């Protein structure tokens, strides 16, 4: 029996946000199911419905975003920095009142545990607050003139135009807002399409979007990517594609754009972050970090440890202790106390993970833990698989789910070669103590990935740190600071140092007539 406070009534979202209006949808709807059962006999729960919009509505949203940008003269794009900040602050306040609603939907829609759902919400609030502070700093640093070779320049960062933003299901709020908020604060206008799962949780925030931004600045549409995002791209009117997801969709969307050179990309894509465990690593610490690194939120994180390399001299101890710890992880519904593993939101995921296990077993791997591969209707218990070879699917594919391949090594160069050959290059976790062994490795690994985590799991946070990747793992860099750069371009006013120009500049400044040329700054 589900405790009363976590029971859910279906939420039928009948509107979508275009041009500052919550438009009633008269067409078809998509059912949103949770893989969590509310009845004793297992059956997915209907948690609500969302509009199934089509090309026409998508193009209306695009038109609204383009009109709001209005060739760079829209109110939002030309607004004073302090006024854009006021809008964001108002939004933040309204958003904070929706915490409980969003968290409950997050648990049902994507199976994220209660503490982690709260964490995602609070982290997003903090991200917005930090973005506002960072934007003030940026504004402060630009509030001046510099002079070179007889030319005065007033240099700022300006918006790029219209942003199409698509987020992933695993962080449906945080990752989406980590794109949207910097895009908006820099003066761009946006169309946002939530992911397939974690879509209803956006509903409680639509009114806040409507109330806090000028019309058309933010438009939220529901439906299938192929049906609504591709036609938008095909118009060639999108200036920035901001997407956290997989490279297949990112490439398909880029391909739809007729002027690729005009399209700025901000992409967070696949990864297969390895853990490297050296012979003298602290075993207990390593195991704890590898458990949360590989299995928090069931391994459904782009930053998750998706392969563990352990030195052959310590392989037996590691496998035995790690497997035991995996088996101790509690599976249950997201609101249950101490739950660490939760239902998988994708109906097909248990079968996919099963196929990876079967393939590995066929090619010589063994399941090292007792519960590995146990099935329920909405879950498959994580299997620790070893030995692993390069021929196995679980070695090559980003599993994005509960299965942990453990590969042994004798010589560290083998791993460097494998990482260099890999299509991915986001992060690595390096476990060891000997500085003479660690130093050359660190110096090498920083050039293969973009974050080397010493004796700790891979992760995106804290969000002030750069989040990026090499090869197929990312395009562009996100962090509170870097995202403001990614969604803007340097643009400036230059004037030759002569009496008449200088008099105009002084006049402009004194009258405060331009929102761009200003040496005021906000504290
Ligand atoms: O899915 C990728 C997320 O950005 C990972 O964030 O490392 O904080 O869990 P996290």
């Amino acid at each position: 029996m589900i405790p009363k406070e976590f029971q859910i009534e279906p939420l039928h979202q009948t509107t979508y946000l275009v041009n500052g209006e919550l438009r009633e949808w008269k067409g078809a709807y998509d059912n949103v199911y949770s893989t969590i059962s509310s009845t004793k006999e297992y059956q997915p729960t209907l948690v609500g419905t969302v509009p199934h919009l089509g090309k026409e509505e998508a193009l209306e949203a695009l038109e609204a975003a383009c009109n709001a940008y209005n060739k760079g003269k829209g109110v939002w794009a030309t607004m004073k920095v302090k006024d854009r900040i006021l809008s964001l602050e108002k939004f933040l306040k309204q958003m904070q009142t929706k915490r409980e609603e969003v968290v409950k939907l997050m648990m049902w829609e994507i199976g994220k545990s209660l503490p982690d759902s709260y964490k995602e919400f609070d982290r997003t609030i903090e991200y917005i607050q930090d973005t506002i502070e960072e934007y003030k700093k940026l504004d402060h640093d630009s509030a001046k003139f510099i002079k070179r070779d007889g030319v005065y320049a007033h240099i700022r960062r300006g918006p790029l135009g219209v942003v199409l933003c698509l987020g992933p299901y695993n962080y449906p709020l945080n990752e989406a807002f980590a794109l949207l908020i910097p895009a908006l604060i820099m003066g761009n206008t946006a169309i946002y399409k939530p992911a397939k799962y974690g879509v209803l949780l956006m509903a409680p925030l639509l009114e806040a979007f409507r109330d806090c931004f000028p019309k058309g600045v933010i438009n939220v549409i529901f439906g299938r990517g192929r049906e609504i995002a591709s036609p938008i791209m095909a118009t060639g009117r999108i200036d920035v594609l901001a997407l956290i997801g997989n490279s297949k969709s990112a490439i398909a969307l880029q391909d739809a754009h007729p002027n690729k050179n005009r399209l700025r990309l901000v992409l967070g894509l696949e990864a297969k972050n390895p853990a490297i465990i050296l012979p003298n690593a602290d075993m207990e610490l390593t195991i704890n970090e590898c458990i949360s690194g590989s299995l928090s939120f069931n391994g459904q994180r782009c930053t998750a440890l998706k392969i563990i390399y352990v030195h052959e001299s310590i392989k037996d101890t590691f496998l035995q202790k790690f497997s035991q710890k995996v088996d101790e992880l509690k599976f249950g519904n997201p609101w249950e106390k101490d739950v660490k593993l939760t239902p998988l939101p994708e109906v097909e995921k248990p079968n996919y993970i099963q196929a990876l296990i079967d393939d590995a077993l066929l090619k010589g791997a063994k399941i090292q833990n007792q519960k590995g591969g146990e099935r329920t209707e909405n879950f498959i218990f994580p299997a620790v698989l070893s030995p692993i070879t390069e021929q196995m699917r679980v070695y090559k594919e980003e599993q994005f789910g509960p299965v942990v391949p453990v590969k042994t090594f004798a010589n560290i160069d083998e791993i460097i070669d494998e990482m260099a050959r890999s299509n991915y290059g986001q992060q690595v976790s390096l476990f060891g103590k000997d500085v003479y062994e660690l130093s050359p490795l660190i110096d090498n690994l920083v050039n293969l990935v973009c974050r080397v985590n010493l004796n700790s799991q891979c992760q995106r946070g804290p969000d002030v740190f750069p989040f990026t990747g090499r090869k197929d793992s990312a395009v562009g860099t996100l962090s509170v600071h870097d995202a403001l750069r990614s969604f803007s371009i340097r643009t400036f006013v230059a004037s030759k140092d002569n009496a008449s120009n200088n008099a105009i500049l002084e006049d402009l400044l004194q009258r405060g007539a331009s929102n761009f040329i200003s040496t005021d700054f906000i504290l």
Side-chain angles (χ1 to χ4, degrees):
M1 184 66 184
I2 292 169
K4 194 156 184 336
E5 67 269 36
F6 301 118
Q7 289 173 11
I8 197 157
E9 283 299 315
L11 166 64
H12 298 292
Q13 178 60 29
T14 59
T15 57
Y16 58 103
L17 180 65
V18 169
N19 206 29
E21 294 162 27
L22 284 171
R23 294 193 181 160
E24 273 300 321
W25 174 236
K26 300 272 181 276
Y29 280 82
D30 287 320
N31 288 334
V32 180
Y33 284 101
S34 168
T35 56
I36 300 170
S37 180
S38 346
T39 49
K40 220 164 165 208
E41 201 66 13
Y42 178 82
Q43 59 173 32
T45 304
L46 179 73
V47 285
T49 52
V50 284
H52 183 126
L53 304 179
K55 181 174 170 182
E56 197 181 316
E57 296 73 39
L59 295 183
E60 278 168 18
L62 173 68
E63 192 62 28
C66 292
N67 288 342
Y69 192 66
N70 192 15
K71 308 175 197 104
K73 59 181 171 175
V75 269
W76 184 249
T78 56
M79 196 178 261
K80 272 193 199 309
V81 167
K82 84 168 179 347
D83 294 327
R84 278 215 288 265
I85 289 178
L86 283 177
S87 291
L88 258 298
E89 284 172 343
K90 186 174 166 199
F91 177 78
L92 192 66
K93 264 213 187 103
Q94 285 201 33
M95 179 176 165
Q96 277 165 313
T97 64
K98 304 290 179 185
R99 186 172 185 253
E100 297 304 321
E101 270 171 87
V102 171
V103 162
K104 192 173 185 181
L105 284 162
M106 194 179 293
M107 288 191 289
W108 277 95
E109 285 193 88
I110 63 161
K112 191 167 275 191
S113 72
L114 180 65
D116 284 351
S117 296
Y118 276 127
K119 204 153 103 196
E120 177 163 351
F121 190 93
D122 297 340
R123 175 182 177 179
T124 308
I125 295 288
E126 199 180 308
Y127 191 93
I128 302 175
Q129 288 163 336
D130 288 349
T131 298
I132 292 173
E133 287 312 308
E134 191 64 32
Y135 185 44
K136 285 184 192 168
K137 226 188 279 165
L138 188 72
D139 181 60
H140 188 169
D141 294 344
S142 325
K144 61 181 182 220
F145 282 81
I146 52 172
K147 187 178 157 191
R148 182 77 198 239
D149 298 338
V151 181
Y152 276 113
H154 184 65
I155 310 173
R156 290 185 173 274
R157 297 199 73 91
L160 292 157
V162 180
V163 180
L164 177 63
C165 177
L166 298 106
Y169 80 78
N170 64 335
Y171 280 89
L173 186 73
N174 185 261
E175 297 270 6
F177 278 43
L179 298 173
L180 264 182
I181 298 299
L184 292 175
I185 208 168
M186 292 313 294
N188 302 284
T189 63
I191 304 150
Y192 167 55
K193 186 198 98 58
K196 192 167 165 203
Y197 310 97
V199 47
L200 277 170
L201 59 84
M202 214 35 83
L205 303 174
L206 291 186
E207 283 179 5
F209 275 131
R210 180 197 60 192
D211 298 346
C212 303
F213 297 93
K215 68 174 188 177
V217 167
I218 165 80
N219 305 277
V220 182
I221 51 175
F222 303 101
R224 307 247 157 85
R226 243 173 297 123
E227 293 167 20
I228 57 176
S230 306
I232 290 178
M233 291 300 287
T235 63
R237 298 173 82 190
I238 290 295
D239 300 294
V240 188
L241 173 64
L243 176 149
I244 309 280
N246 68 66
S247 51
K248 249 203 206 143
S249 355
I251 291 168
L253 287 169
Q254 282 170 65
D255 283 347
H257 198 291
N259 306 104
K260 289 181 191 50
N261 56 308
R262 289 194 211 160
L263 182 67
R264 163 116 27 139
L265 299 173
V266 181
L267 309 176
L269 305 170
E270 302 90 285
K272 185 105 181 159
N273 292 341
I276 302 174
I277 309 172
L278 301 171
N280 57 8
D282 176 328
M283 192 54 82
E284 205 186 318
L285 174 146
T286 303
I287 286 173
N288 288 337
E289 292 292 324
C290 285
I291 288 282
S292 56
S294 59
L295 290 171
S296 53
F297 194 35
N298 313 311
Q300 302 165 121
R301 294 160 58 232
C302 61
T303 47
L305 290 175
K306 299 201 177 94
I307 183 156
I308 295 178
Y309 291 103
V310 59
H311 191 266
E312 59 182 17
S313 62
I314 50 165
K315 157 198 109 178
D316 292 336
T317 324
F318 176 81
L319 277 175
Q320 188 251 322
K321 292 191 169 172
F322 182 73
S323 301
Q324 193 183 331
K325 272 254 155 118
V326 170
D327 280 349
E328 284 166 14
L329 296 173
K330 181 177 167 190
F331 168 73
N333 282 333
W335 42 83
E336 287 173 32
K337 196 170 174 290
D338 298 329
V339 84
K340 293 283 185 265
L341 301 167
T342 50
L344 301 168
E346 294 169 286
V347 176
E348 278 311 309
K349 202 45 152 306
N351 285 341
Y352 169 69
I353 298 289
Q354 181 77 61
L356 294 184
I357 297 174
D358 293 347
D359 170 78
L361 296 183
L362 209 67
K363 292 171 183 159
K366 289 203 164 46
I367 300 179
Q368 304 287 329
N369 55 328
Q370 279 174 12
K371 291 159 95 177
E374 281 179 10
R375 298 280 299 258
T376 61
E377 290 85 353
N378 55 16
F379 195 62
I380 179 162
F381 201 89
V384 180
L385 293 173
S386 188
I388 294 296
T389 66
E390 293 185 40
Q391 284 67 44
M392 295 174 185
R393 286 179 60 190
V394 74
Y395 174 85
K396 292 183 268 202
E397 295 173 27
E398 184 197 26
Q399 64 267 44
F400 215 80
V403 59
V404 192
V406 180
K407 193 167 186 287
T408 50
F409 70 95
N411 182 335
I412 192 72
D413 286 337
E414 298 163 33
I415 297 173
I416 299 296
D417 290 346
E418 286 184 37
M419 285 178 67
R421 279 199 303 272
S422 157
N423 291 330
Y424 311 111
Q426 192 195 62
Q427 300 187 17
V428 65
S429 289
L430 181 59
F431 295 95
K433 281 194 212 124
D434 179 350
V435 289
Y436 293 104
E437 198 175 4
L438 290 172
S439 314
L441 264 177
I442 291 172
D443 294 352
N444 184 168
L445 289 170
V446 287
N447 296 335
L448 287 174
V449 296
C450 289
R451 174 166 166 166
V452 176
N453 299 278
L454 203 51
N455 292 312
S456 63
Q457 63 159 313
C458 296
Q459 60 185 53
R460 174 177 178 154
D463 290 327
V464 291
F465 291 158
F467 178 55
T468 182
R470 299 169 189 268
K471 300 190 256 185
D472 291 351
S473 288
V475 179
T477 303
L478 293 170
S479 74
V480 170
H481 171 80
D482 292 296
L484 296 181
R485 298 177 64 88
S486 297
F487 286 102
S488 62
I489 190 162
R490 301 238 291 169
T491 181
F492 67 107
V493 176
S495 82
K496 284 189 181 152
D497 177 15
N498 59 42
S500 96
N501 277 349
N502 294 353
I504 294 173
L505 285 182
E506 267 168 34
D507 206 16
L508 268 169
L509 286 170
Q510 264 162 24
R511 290 175 200 273
S514 160
N515 289 345
F516 185 88
I517 298 185
S518 164
T519 49
D520 296 345
F521 56 82
I522 315 147
L523 292 174

